[in-house]
Every structure is written in structure tokens, then in C-alpha cells.
Amino acid sequence: MHRLILMRHAEAERAHAGGDRERPLSPRGREDAARIGRALARRGLRPDVALVSTATRTRQTWDLVQDAFGDVEVRIEPDLYDAPAADLHAAIAAAAEDAGCLLVLAHNPGVQLLAADYLLQGAASPALMDRMTGGFPSGAAAVFAIDAAGRPSHEAWLTPRDPGLAE
């Protein structure tokens, strides 16, 4: 793996009769997911493999993001639902040899904590650390280059409300 995209699902409805796992995307979340997918694709950030949580909101986010990428191997992973950073890291390690670019689509706080850990490992600037650890908004994506020794370095930080994402 030479690139990793860590992504949080887009905005979901606040409540659902079926419980948290079944919460669908909100209308805004649907728009945001499609917008982030197009922004990633425009930057040439197309995954070979995507690991996606089983939650309805993550699967719906993936469906909308994938429209911008075309054919990508997707693996719906039960262990990614509400997973802590260590479990996300283990899933990434297990899939690393299968992809040049791996996308992981999961939930906070695990996604945010893992991104912060990667920023620390990559000696990111204090300004970038503040920006990314101040919150990982719904639909946001953190992109890391991974060197031959497995060390991450920050490449991009995209949020659905970034002015630079205008169509």
C-alpha cells in the first residue's frame, strides 16, 4: 500500500427506529458523500480496495463515493462498526498488501484518533495537528502517503464544506 484514505461516513439522520447501526444518511449527507467522492477522484485519489463498515450510513456513503471511482473492490467489514483506532489499524494492516491505495470508511472516534496517530508518526506540523484533531467532520477524508517502511505522511484533508470542493 502506498496511499491510505481514512474517511468518516457522511452526515446521518439523528435517530432511526432500527437503532444506531441502521441510521441512514441525511439529505445533506447524501450530497456531501457525492461531493467528497468527486473531489477525491479529481485529485487522482482512487482506491483499489475499500473497507467499509456494515452500518447503513457507511454503506450509503460508499455507494455515493464509489460513483466517482468506478470499479473498486469493496469489502463490507463487520469489525469496522464503531471500531476503536487499534481495530482500524489492524484492518488496514491486514489489507495493506492487497491495494496500492486503500480507503477505510468507518466511524468516529476511531477514524479521528487513527488519523491523529498517523499525523504524529509523520511529524505533521502543529497547525495541521490542530486542524485535524479539532474534529473529524462527517464525510471528511484524510489522505496519507505510506512509504516503503510503512510510515505515513499527510497528503490531503478534505471536508464536505471546503470552499475548494465547489463543482
Side-chain angles (χ1 to χ4, degrees):
M1 173 179 70
H2 66 274
R3 180 170 288 126
L4 172 67
I5 303 168
L6 286 178
M7 186 170 177
R8 182 179 175 200
H9 63 80
E11 182 183 88
E13 295 291 341
R14 295 224 182 262
H16 189 272
D20 182 67
R21 192 181 297 258
E22 302 305 320
R23 286 190 304 137
L25 292 180
S26 68
R28 175 182 164 176
R30 296 183 69 73
E31 292 173 17
D32 289 351
R35 181 179 298 115
I36 287 292
R38 290 189 300 269
L40 289 166
R42 276 194 308 271
R43 289 165 174 78
L45 301 169
R46 182 191 177 280
D48 304 305
V49 176
L51 305 180
V52 180
S53 160
T54 55
T56 298
R57 60 193 177 274
T58 52
R59 288 182 290 113
Q60 289 177 337
T61 298
W62 172 250
D63 289 343
L64 293 161
V65 168
Q66 185 180 19
D67 286 345
F69 300 139
D71 189 36
V72 173
E73 179 185 343
V74 62
R75 300 176 189 169
I76 306 300
E77 299 281 344
D79 292 343
L80 296 184
Y81 175 72
D82 213 16
D87 290 359
L88 296 175
H89 188 269
I92 291 164
E97 290 192 25
D98 299 336
C101 180
L102 177 67
L103 183 142
V104 176
L105 180 53
H107 310 267
N108 261 1
V111 169
Q112 180 175 345
L113 293 172
L114 185 56
D117 185 47
Y118 284 157
L119 288 172
L120 285 171
Q121 289 179 41
S125 72
L128 180 59
M129 289 291 296
D130 284 347
R131 183 174 177 214
M132 284 187 63
T133 58
F136 205 109
S138 297
V143 182
F144 296 92
I146 309 297
D147 71 14
R151 292 180 301 247
S153 62
H154 174 263
E155 277 193 342
W157 169 241
L158 305 171
T159 67
R161 298 294 167 229
D162 286 344
L165 295 186
E167 307 297 320

